[in-house]
Amino acid sequence: TRTPRVLHPSGPLREPSKQHSNGRFGSLRNPVRILVLSDWIWQDRLWFPAGLGWANLKDRDGQVFAKGRDLWVIFPIAVCFLIIRQIFERTVAVQLASLLRVREKPRVRAAPNTTLESYFCNASKFPSQSSVEELTKQSACSVRQVQRWFRRRRNQERPSQIKKFREACWRFTFYVLAFIAGLGALIDKPWFYDMEEMWNGFPTLPLLPSQYWYYMIELGFYISLLFSVATDVKRKDFKEQIVHHVATILLISFSWLVNYIRAGTLIMLVHDASDYLLESAKMFNYAGWRKTCNYIFILFAAVFILTRLVILPFWIIHTTWVYPLTLYPPFFGFYFFNGLLFVLQCLHIFWAGLILRMAIKFLPGNVCIPKPNHHRVVSWTEIEPSPEPYTTYVV
């Protein structure tokens, strides 16, 4: 039988030798397999319409195109964001919190109890009724005392008002600057007004400096959010936030690789349009400015509905899902890109339902929010299960 030829990473097709197949050279097979797999994954027909491919994205005639290796810069940018965030939160955010008179609410600490503490740390922070009855026997406390102890103990682990204010202040600062920068980068572009223009000349769309920095900064920020997820305030939609961040990073990165940059910049701008309003509402909530917070939240809900449930699906997704079919036959990259957009859209619908419920409550005359002068803090919500239901919808 004839020995098959394989693709060698350093040159043309060569006959495999026994020396390379055995002994200390046997490991060379793995790089070959990886190279073959990489070639298969990135073949033109998967990511581009018929007749187009990666060769169309090579720099020429003074025109520069997006390249995969450009994305490595997002990791040092993410690290820079983490450093800047620490400095910002310890200086600017703290001073602003003092200016707005953000105060910590007094918390009653749980009395030391070895039995209850062991159960709290090792078993559950929310004991069932049967567990409470069992703990009453072990700790010599009444059912009411055990329940009160666990409530106070959980409250001790809640993040402080200052910590939540600092986090909201940092995100507000980034989102408002990103929205202004994105608007400045797109305001004079034809595809900002006529979205079908985003496909004019695809895929040979030259990269502009403003697009490069808009992409790298946005990606670096979302990567930094993933790095800091362990220390950030945990909210009820924590899992949805992780899915949102991962889908956003994949969507932005993929749009960069295959030069869907015009669509990508529009998607990022739509997302930045409402985020800073939510973060500012949180800041005023932590500062105790209830009416201001209510009005900003209602404005946020209106902008969110307009951008995420109207502009994104009926303009942008329509232009990425329906219009390209009039130009090219569908291909895998087409389905992959729009699939990520549909994941984001499902999250937007989920969040919109929660936001609308809260916004309706905040409309003038619908609800009277009591002041936090009771032993249980109920100004915005019950302490449990979440300290701030409307601020859980970080999108």
Side-chain angles (χ1 to χ4, degrees):
T1 58
R2 185 178 178 181
T3 305
R5 297 195 302 170
V6 297
L7 181 64
H8 195 274
S10 61
L13 296 174
R14 299 181 181 178
E15 300 289 340
S17 64
K18 293 183 179 180
Q19 183 184 21
H20 286 185
S21 302
N22 301 298
R24 60 192 183 95
F25 295 101
S27 61
L28 287 179
R29 284 186 172 184
N30 292 332
V32 171
R33 291 171 180 172
I34 293 174
L35 183 62
V36 172
L37 179 62
S38 176
D39 289 341
W40 183 85
I41 291 176
W42 298 110
Q43 56 185 312
D44 293 345
R45 68 181 183 88
L46 289 179
W47 308 108
F48 295 94
L52 301 172
W54 301 107
N56 297 99
L57 299 182
K58 292 183 178 180
D59 297 346
R60 59 184 179 276
D61 301 329
Q63 294 181 332
V64 178
F65 299 93
K67 302 175 182 61
R69 62 176 179 269
D70 296 335
L71 295 179
W72 288 109
V73 76
I74 66 176
F75 295 103
I77 290 177
V79 173
C80 289
F81 269 125
L82 292 174
I83 296 173
I84 294 172
R85 174 179 177 175
Q86 294 301 316
I87 298 172
F88 179 90
E89 290 188 357
R90 285 166 169 74
T91 55
V92 178
V94 170
Q95 293 298 322
L96 187 56
S98 177
L99 182 65
L100 295 178
R101 298 182 179 180
V102 179
R103 297 289 183 266
E104 289 296 331
K105 297 181 178 66
R107 300 181 186 180
V108 180
R109 299 184 64 84
N113 189 306
T114 306
T115 302
L116 300 182
E117 184 69 26
S118 176
Y119 187 92
F120 182 88
C121 297
N122 302 320
S124 173
K125 298 179 181 180
F126 296 88
S128 61
Q129 184 61 34
S130 59
S131 299
V132 169
E133 293 174 356
E134 183 67 25
L135 288 170
T136 59
K137 301 175 183 179
Q138 300 177 11
S139 61
C141 299
S142 66
V143 172
R144 187 177 182 83
Q145 288 174 329
V146 171
Q147 292 173 339
R148 183 187 299 118
W149 188 94
F150 273 91
R151 184 169 61 250
R152 291 176 175 177
R153 184 64 179 83
R154 287 192 293 268
N155 288 341
Q156 288 179 209
E157 295 199 342
R158 286 175 49 212
S160 66
Q161 291 286 91
I162 296 294
K163 176 179 173 59
K164 291 187 288 186
F165 180 89
R166 288 163 47 185
E167 179 181 312
C169 187
W170 163 249
R171 296 194 183 198
F172 166 77
T173 303
F174 173 82
Y175 288 137
V176 72
L177 293 177
F179 177 68
I180 293 173
L183 192 61
L186 289 171
I187 196 68
D188 61 339
K189 304 300 186 295
W191 56 90
F192 182 74
Y193 304 96
D194 181 7
M195 294 190 180
E196 293 182 358
E197 284 292 321
M198 71 174 68
W199 297 104
N200 185 14
F202 175 82
T204 55
L205 306 175
L207 177 64
L208 303 176
S210 59
Q211 294 172 329
Y212 173 86
W213 287 111
Y214 191 27
Y215 257 80
M216 297 303 112
I217 290 174
E218 287 274 353
L219 270 175
F221 179 75
Y222 279 105
I223 292 291
S224 72
L225 291 183
L226 285 183
F227 287 166
S228 62
V229 70
T231 58
D232 285 347
V233 176
K234 297 294 188 300
R235 309 185 191 278
K236 288 198 300 184
D237 65 341
F238 174 77
K239 293 180 180 179
E240 288 83 0
Q241 286 186 49
I242 296 299
V243 172
H244 177 270
H245 293 338
V246 172
T248 301
I249 291 171
L250 289 176
L251 181 65
I252 298 175
S253 300
F254 175 74
S255 66
W256 176 269
L257 290 174
V258 295
N259 215 20
Y260 292 177
I261 292 179
R262 293 180 179 179
T265 52
L266 290 172
I267 293 168
M268 291 189 292
L269 183 67
V270 163
H271 280 74
D272 291 335
S274 60
D275 288 342
Y276 67 91
L277 291 171
L278 176 60
E279 301 302 332
S280 63
K282 292 182 189 180
M283 293 167 61
F284 284 110
N285 177 39
Y286 303 142
W289 296 32
R290 310 296 177 184
K291 290 185 178 179
T292 303
C293 178
N294 288 359
Y295 293 137
I296 294 178
F297 185 78
I298 293 172
L299 177 61
F300 157 74
V303 175
F304 183 93
I305 298 299
L306 176 63
T307 55
R308 310 290 182 93
L309 299 188
V310 178
I311 295 178
L312 182 62
F314 295 108
W315 291 1
I316 297 179
I317 295 182
H318 179 271
T319 310
T320 62
W321 176 257
V322 178
Y323 179 70
L325 296 179
T326 65
L327 304 176
Y328 311 104
F331 51 99
F332 178 76
F334 166 83
Y335 293 116
F336 184 78
F337 181 75
N338 286 284
L340 292 174
L341 277 177
F342 284 131
V343 170
L344 288 182
Q345 191 58 41
C346 290
L347 290 173
H348 296 159
I349 295 171
F350 165 76
W351 277 314
L354 301 174
I355 290 170
L356 280 176
R357 284 193 306 174
M358 297 305 301
I360 291 172
K361 292 179 180 180
F362 294 158
L363 289 174
N366 282 3
V367 65
C368 180
I369 301 173
K371 295 182 179 179
N373 55 2
H374 196 266
H375 71 281
R376 292 174 67 223
V377 180
V378 291
S379 60
W380 280 86
T381 178
E382 301 294 334
I383 287 178
E384 295 174 4
S386 170
E388 41 179 347
Y390 90 91
T391 58
T392 61
Y393 317 130
V394 181
V395 291

